Short mmCIF file of all heavy atoms in Angstrom, two decimals:
data_model
loop_
_atom_site.label_atom_id
_atom_site.label_comp_id
_atom_site.label_asym_id
_atom_site.label_seq_id
_atom_site.Cartn_x
_atom_site.Cartn_y
_atom_site.Cartn_z
N VAL D 153 -74.61 14.54 -23.20
CA VAL D 153 -73.23 14.03 -23.22
C VAL D 153 -72.74 13.74 -21.78
O VAL D 153 -72.02 12.77 -21.56
CB VAL D 153 -72.32 15.01 -23.93
CG1 VAL D 153 -70.82 14.60 -23.82
CG2 VAL D 153 -72.67 15.13 -25.42
N ARG D 154 -73.16 14.56 -20.85
CA ARG D 154 -72.75 14.34 -19.45
C ARG D 154 -73.28 12.95 -18.95
O ARG D 154 -72.68 12.25 -18.25
CB ARG D 154 -73.29 15.47 -18.59
CG ARG D 154 -73.01 15.33 -17.08
CD ARG D 154 -71.56 15.75 -16.73
NE ARG D 154 -71.29 15.38 -15.35
CZ ARG D 154 -70.19 14.85 -14.91
NH1 ARG D 154 -69.20 14.55 -15.74
NH2 ARG D 154 -70.06 14.59 -13.65
N VAL D 155 -74.52 12.67 -19.36
CA VAL D 155 -75.13 11.39 -18.98
C VAL D 155 -74.29 10.24 -19.56
O VAL D 155 -73.98 9.25 -18.92
CB VAL D 155 -76.63 11.30 -19.41
CG1 VAL D 155 -77.20 9.90 -19.30
CG2 VAL D 155 -77.43 12.25 -18.55
N VAL D 156 -73.92 10.39 -20.86
CA VAL D 156 -73.06 9.41 -21.52
C VAL D 156 -71.76 9.22 -20.71
O VAL D 156 -71.38 8.07 -20.41
CB VAL D 156 -72.76 9.79 -22.98
CG1 VAL D 156 -71.69 8.94 -23.57
CG2 VAL D 156 -74.01 9.76 -23.84
N GLU D 157 -71.13 10.32 -20.37
CA GLU D 157 -69.89 10.27 -19.65
C GLU D 157 -70.05 9.57 -18.32
O GLU D 157 -69.17 8.77 -17.93
CB GLU D 157 -69.42 11.73 -19.45
CG GLU D 157 -68.01 11.89 -18.92
CD GLU D 157 -67.61 13.38 -18.79
OE1 GLU D 157 -68.47 14.25 -18.92
OE2 GLU D 157 -66.41 13.59 -18.67
N GLU D 158 -71.12 9.86 -17.60
CA GLU D 158 -71.32 9.23 -16.30
C GLU D 158 -71.50 7.73 -16.45
O GLU D 158 -71.06 6.94 -15.62
CB GLU D 158 -72.49 9.86 -15.55
CG GLU D 158 -72.16 11.27 -15.01
CD GLU D 158 -73.27 11.83 -14.19
OE1 GLU D 158 -74.22 11.13 -13.85
OE2 GLU D 158 -73.18 13.09 -13.87
N ILE D 159 -72.19 7.33 -17.53
CA ILE D 159 -72.42 5.91 -17.70
C ILE D 159 -71.08 5.20 -18.03
O ILE D 159 -70.82 4.12 -17.47
CB ILE D 159 -73.49 5.64 -18.84
CG1 ILE D 159 -74.86 6.23 -18.49
CG2 ILE D 159 -73.64 4.16 -19.09
CD1 ILE D 159 -75.88 6.23 -19.60
N VAL D 160 -70.30 5.78 -18.89
CA VAL D 160 -68.97 5.22 -19.18
C VAL D 160 -68.22 5.06 -17.91
O VAL D 160 -67.57 4.02 -17.68
CB VAL D 160 -68.22 6.15 -20.21
CG1 VAL D 160 -66.78 5.68 -20.34
CG2 VAL D 160 -68.94 6.15 -21.58
N CYS D 161 -68.20 6.11 -17.10
CA CYS D 161 -67.46 6.07 -15.84
C CYS D 161 -67.95 4.97 -14.88
O CYS D 161 -67.16 4.21 -14.32
CB CYS D 161 -67.58 7.48 -15.21
SG CYS D 161 -66.87 7.57 -13.60
N LEU D 162 -69.30 4.81 -14.75
CA LEU D 162 -69.86 3.78 -13.89
C LEU D 162 -69.47 2.39 -14.43
O LEU D 162 -69.14 1.52 -13.58
CB LEU D 162 -71.41 3.87 -13.90
CG LEU D 162 -71.97 4.97 -12.99
CD1 LEU D 162 -73.53 5.06 -13.30
CD2 LEU D 162 -71.78 4.64 -11.56
N PHE D 163 -69.51 2.16 -15.73
CA PHE D 163 -69.18 0.82 -16.26
C PHE D 163 -67.72 0.52 -16.00
O PHE D 163 -67.39 -0.65 -15.71
CB PHE D 163 -69.54 0.75 -17.73
CG PHE D 163 -70.99 0.69 -18.03
CD1 PHE D 163 -71.96 0.73 -17.02
CD2 PHE D 163 -71.47 0.58 -19.37
CE1 PHE D 163 -73.29 0.70 -17.30
CE2 PHE D 163 -72.84 0.52 -19.64
CZ PHE D 163 -73.78 0.62 -18.64
N ASP D 164 -66.86 1.57 -16.12
CA ASP D 164 -65.43 1.39 -15.85
C ASP D 164 -65.25 1.06 -14.36
O ASP D 164 -64.51 0.13 -13.97
CB ASP D 164 -64.62 2.65 -16.19
CG ASP D 164 -64.41 2.73 -17.69
OD1 ASP D 164 -64.71 1.72 -18.39
OD2 ASP D 164 -63.88 3.76 -18.17
N THR D 165 -65.89 1.88 -13.53
CA THR D 165 -65.72 1.72 -12.04
C THR D 165 -66.04 0.30 -11.61
O THR D 165 -65.33 -0.28 -10.78
CB THR D 165 -66.59 2.74 -11.31
OG1 THR D 165 -66.19 4.01 -11.72
CG2 THR D 165 -66.45 2.64 -9.81
N TYR D 166 -67.16 -0.23 -12.13
CA TYR D 166 -67.63 -1.49 -11.65
C TYR D 166 -67.21 -2.66 -12.53
O TYR D 166 -67.63 -3.81 -12.33
CB TYR D 166 -69.15 -1.48 -11.42
CG TYR D 166 -69.54 -0.55 -10.32
CD1 TYR D 166 -70.13 0.66 -10.55
CD2 TYR D 166 -69.28 -0.93 -9.00
CE1 TYR D 166 -70.48 1.53 -9.55
CE2 TYR D 166 -69.60 -0.03 -7.94
CZ TYR D 166 -70.23 1.17 -8.21
OH TYR D 166 -70.49 1.99 -7.20
N GLY D 167 -66.37 -2.35 -13.55
CA GLY D 167 -65.87 -3.41 -14.45
C GLY D 167 -67.05 -4.13 -15.16
O GLY D 167 -66.96 -5.39 -15.30
N LEU D 168 -68.07 -3.43 -15.55
CA LEU D 168 -69.22 -4.09 -16.19
C LEU D 168 -68.96 -4.30 -17.67
O LEU D 168 -68.50 -3.39 -18.35
CB LEU D 168 -70.44 -3.27 -15.96
CG LEU D 168 -70.98 -3.28 -14.49
CD1 LEU D 168 -71.93 -2.10 -14.28
CD2 LEU D 168 -71.63 -4.59 -14.15
N ASP D 169 -69.31 -5.49 -18.14
CA ASP D 169 -69.13 -5.83 -19.53
C ASP D 169 -70.32 -5.40 -20.34
O ASP D 169 -71.04 -6.20 -20.92
CB ASP D 169 -68.91 -7.36 -19.62
CG ASP D 169 -68.49 -7.74 -21.03
OD1 ASP D 169 -67.99 -6.91 -21.76
OD2 ASP D 169 -68.63 -8.95 -21.37
N CYS D 170 -70.57 -4.08 -20.35
CA CYS D 170 -71.67 -3.51 -21.10
C CYS D 170 -71.16 -2.27 -21.80
O CYS D 170 -70.40 -1.50 -21.20
CB CYS D 170 -72.82 -3.18 -20.14
SG CYS D 170 -74.28 -2.47 -20.91
N LYS D 171 -71.56 -2.06 -23.06
CA LYS D 171 -71.08 -0.94 -23.78
C LYS D 171 -72.17 0.15 -23.91
O LYS D 171 -73.38 -0.10 -23.88
CB LYS D 171 -70.69 -1.34 -25.20
CG LYS D 171 -69.40 -2.19 -25.23
CD LYS D 171 -68.97 -2.46 -26.68
CE LYS D 171 -67.56 -3.01 -26.78
NZ LYS D 171 -67.40 -4.28 -26.03
N VAL D 172 -71.66 1.42 -24.05
CA VAL D 172 -72.58 2.52 -24.22
C VAL D 172 -72.78 2.76 -25.71
O VAL D 172 -71.82 2.97 -26.45
CB VAL D 172 -72.06 3.77 -23.53
CG1 VAL D 172 -73.10 4.95 -23.67
CG2 VAL D 172 -71.76 3.56 -22.06
N LEU D 173 -74.01 2.70 -26.12
CA LEU D 173 -74.39 2.98 -27.52
C LEU D 173 -75.19 4.30 -27.51
O LEU D 173 -76.42 4.27 -27.39
CB LEU D 173 -75.26 1.85 -28.13
CG LEU D 173 -75.87 2.04 -29.51
CD1 LEU D 173 -74.79 2.31 -30.54
CD2 LEU D 173 -76.69 0.82 -29.86
N ALA D 174 -74.46 5.41 -27.52
CA ALA D 174 -75.13 6.70 -27.46
C ALA D 174 -76.06 6.92 -28.68
O ALA D 174 -75.66 6.56 -29.81
CB ALA D 174 -74.12 7.83 -27.31
N ALA D 175 -77.24 7.46 -28.45
CA ALA D 175 -78.23 7.52 -29.52
C ALA D 175 -78.93 8.87 -29.50
O ALA D 175 -78.66 9.71 -28.66
CB ALA D 175 -79.24 6.40 -29.29
N SER D 176 -79.86 9.00 -30.46
CA SER D 176 -80.69 10.23 -30.51
C SER D 176 -79.82 11.46 -30.63
O SER D 176 -79.89 12.36 -29.85
CB SER D 176 -81.56 10.37 -29.29
OG SER D 176 -82.29 11.55 -29.26
N PHE D 177 -79.01 11.49 -31.74
CA PHE D 177 -78.18 12.67 -31.99
C PHE D 177 -78.84 13.59 -33.02
O PHE D 177 -79.51 13.10 -33.92
CB PHE D 177 -76.80 12.25 -32.52
CG PHE D 177 -75.98 11.57 -31.57
CD1 PHE D 177 -75.75 10.18 -31.57
CD2 PHE D 177 -75.30 12.28 -30.56
CE1 PHE D 177 -74.94 9.53 -30.69
CE2 PHE D 177 -74.48 11.68 -29.62
CZ PHE D 177 -74.30 10.28 -29.69
N LYS D 178 -78.58 14.87 -32.89
CA LYS D 178 -79.06 15.79 -33.91
C LYS D 178 -77.94 16.55 -34.58
O LYS D 178 -78.15 17.32 -35.50
CB LYS D 178 -80.13 16.76 -33.32
CG LYS D 178 -81.46 16.20 -33.11
CD LYS D 178 -82.13 15.68 -34.43
CE LYS D 178 -83.23 14.71 -34.22
NZ LYS D 178 -82.83 13.37 -33.86
N ASN D 179 -76.70 16.42 -34.01
CA ASN D 179 -75.60 17.12 -34.73
C ASN D 179 -74.25 16.41 -34.43
O ASN D 179 -74.14 15.64 -33.49
CB ASN D 179 -75.53 18.60 -34.33
CG ASN D 179 -75.33 18.80 -32.85
OD1 ASN D 179 -74.33 18.35 -32.29
ND2 ASN D 179 -76.31 19.41 -32.24
N SER D 180 -73.25 16.75 -35.26
CA SER D 180 -71.94 16.12 -35.18
C SER D 180 -71.26 16.47 -33.84
O SER D 180 -70.48 15.65 -33.34
CB SER D 180 -71.06 16.61 -36.31
OG SER D 180 -71.71 16.39 -37.53
N GLU D 181 -71.47 17.65 -33.32
CA GLU D 181 -70.83 18.06 -32.09
C GLU D 181 -71.18 17.14 -30.93
O GLU D 181 -70.35 16.73 -30.10
CB GLU D 181 -71.17 19.54 -31.80
CG GLU D 181 -70.51 20.15 -30.59
CD GLU D 181 -69.00 20.30 -30.74
OE1 GLU D 181 -68.47 19.90 -31.80
OE2 GLU D 181 -68.36 20.76 -29.78
N GLN D 182 -72.46 16.78 -30.86
CA GLN D 182 -72.92 15.86 -29.81
C GLN D 182 -72.16 14.51 -29.95
O GLN D 182 -71.76 13.86 -28.95
CB GLN D 182 -74.41 15.59 -29.87
CG GLN D 182 -75.27 16.78 -29.54
CD GLN D 182 -76.76 16.59 -29.95
OE1 GLN D 182 -77.05 15.89 -30.94
NE2 GLN D 182 -77.63 17.26 -29.25
N VAL D 183 -71.97 14.05 -31.24
CA VAL D 183 -71.32 12.80 -31.45
C VAL D 183 -69.85 12.88 -31.05
O VAL D 183 -69.29 11.99 -30.35
CB VAL D 183 -71.38 12.38 -32.97
CG1 VAL D 183 -70.63 11.09 -33.20
CG2 VAL D 183 -72.88 12.23 -33.33
N HIS D 184 -69.22 13.98 -31.44
CA HIS D 184 -67.80 14.17 -31.13
C HIS D 184 -67.57 14.25 -29.62
O HIS D 184 -66.63 13.61 -29.09
CB HIS D 184 -67.29 15.45 -31.87
CG HIS D 184 -65.85 15.70 -31.58
ND1 HIS D 184 -64.86 14.79 -31.92
CD2 HIS D 184 -65.19 16.78 -31.02
CE1 HIS D 184 -63.69 15.28 -31.55
NE2 HIS D 184 -63.88 16.46 -31.01
N LYS D 185 -68.40 15.00 -28.94
CA LYS D 185 -68.24 15.08 -27.47
C LYS D 185 -68.47 13.75 -26.77
O LYS D 185 -67.79 13.42 -25.77
CB LYS D 185 -69.19 16.14 -26.91
CG LYS D 185 -68.68 17.58 -27.23
CD LYS D 185 -69.56 18.60 -26.54
CE LYS D 185 -69.03 20.03 -26.71
NZ LYS D 185 -70.02 21.04 -26.57
N SER D 186 -69.39 12.95 -27.32
CA SER D 186 -69.56 11.61 -26.77
C SER D 186 -68.32 10.77 -26.99
O SER D 186 -67.86 10.03 -26.08
CB SER D 186 -70.75 10.91 -27.42
OG SER D 186 -71.93 11.66 -27.17
N ALA D 187 -67.71 10.88 -28.16
CA ALA D 187 -66.47 10.12 -28.42
C ALA D 187 -65.37 10.54 -27.47
O ALA D 187 -64.62 9.71 -26.98
CB ALA D 187 -66.03 10.33 -29.88
N LEU D 188 -65.28 11.82 -27.23
CA LEU D 188 -64.22 12.33 -26.36
C LEU D 188 -64.34 11.81 -24.93
O LEU D 188 -63.36 11.65 -24.23
CB LEU D 188 -64.26 13.89 -26.29
CG LEU D 188 -63.65 14.62 -27.49
CD1 LEU D 188 -63.88 16.12 -27.31
CD2 LEU D 188 -62.16 14.29 -27.61
N CYS D 189 -65.57 11.48 -24.49
CA CYS D 189 -65.66 10.99 -23.13
C CYS D 189 -65.67 9.47 -23.06
O CYS D 189 -65.98 8.88 -21.99
CB CYS D 189 -66.93 11.57 -22.45
SG CYS D 189 -68.46 11.01 -23.06
N GLY D 190 -65.20 8.82 -24.14
CA GLY D 190 -64.96 7.37 -24.08
C GLY D 190 -66.14 6.52 -24.40
O GLY D 190 -66.11 5.32 -24.12
N CYS D 191 -67.16 7.11 -25.02
CA CYS D 191 -68.34 6.34 -25.36
C CYS D 191 -67.94 5.25 -26.34
O CYS D 191 -67.15 5.48 -27.28
CB CYS D 191 -69.31 7.30 -26.05
SG CYS D 191 -70.81 6.54 -26.54
N HIS D 192 -68.45 4.00 -26.17
CA HIS D 192 -67.94 2.89 -26.92
C HIS D 192 -68.51 2.86 -28.35
O HIS D 192 -67.90 2.30 -29.31
CB HIS D 192 -68.32 1.54 -26.27
CG HIS D 192 -67.99 1.54 -24.82
ND1 HIS D 192 -68.95 1.73 -23.84
CD2 HIS D 192 -66.82 1.31 -24.20
CE1 HIS D 192 -68.38 1.65 -22.64
NE2 HIS D 192 -67.09 1.39 -22.85
N SER D 193 -69.70 3.42 -28.55
CA SER D 193 -70.37 3.35 -29.84
C SER D 193 -71.41 4.43 -29.98
O SER D 193 -71.97 4.86 -28.94
CB SER D 193 -71.01 1.95 -30.03
OG SER D 193 -71.84 1.59 -28.89
N VAL D 194 -71.74 4.78 -31.16
CA VAL D 194 -72.83 5.75 -31.45
C VAL D 194 -73.70 5.24 -32.54
O VAL D 194 -73.25 4.57 -33.51
CB VAL D 194 -72.25 7.13 -31.88
CG1 VAL D 194 -71.54 7.80 -30.70
CG2 VAL D 194 -71.36 7.04 -33.08
N THR D 195 -75.03 5.56 -32.47
CA THR D 195 -75.88 5.26 -33.56
C THR D 195 -76.42 6.64 -34.09
O THR D 195 -76.95 7.44 -33.32
CB THR D 195 -77.01 4.29 -33.21
OG1 THR D 195 -77.77 4.00 -34.39
CG2 THR D 195 -77.88 4.76 -32.11
N VAL D 196 -76.23 6.84 -35.38
CA VAL D 196 -76.50 8.14 -36.00
C VAL D 196 -77.26 8.05 -37.24
O VAL D 196 -77.23 6.99 -37.96
CB VAL D 196 -75.15 8.92 -36.25
CG1 VAL D 196 -74.39 9.18 -34.97
CG2 VAL D 196 -74.32 8.18 -37.23
#
Side-chain angles (χ1 to χ4, degrees):
V153 172
R154 177 77 188 140
V155 167
V156 168
E157 190 176 13
E158 286 185 10
I159 298 171
V160 170
C161 175
L162 281 171
F163 288 0
D164 281 353
T165 301
Y166 292 107
L168 289 162
D169 188 20
C170 180
K171 290 188 166 59
V172 182
L173 172 58
S176 174
F177 290 106
K178 283 298 161 287
N179 60 61
S180 305
E181 184 66 1
Q182 292 166 331
V183 176
H184 180 59
K185 284 185 173 158
S186 298
L188 282 176
C189 69
C191 181
H192 312 99
S193 50
V194 290
T195 183
V196 297

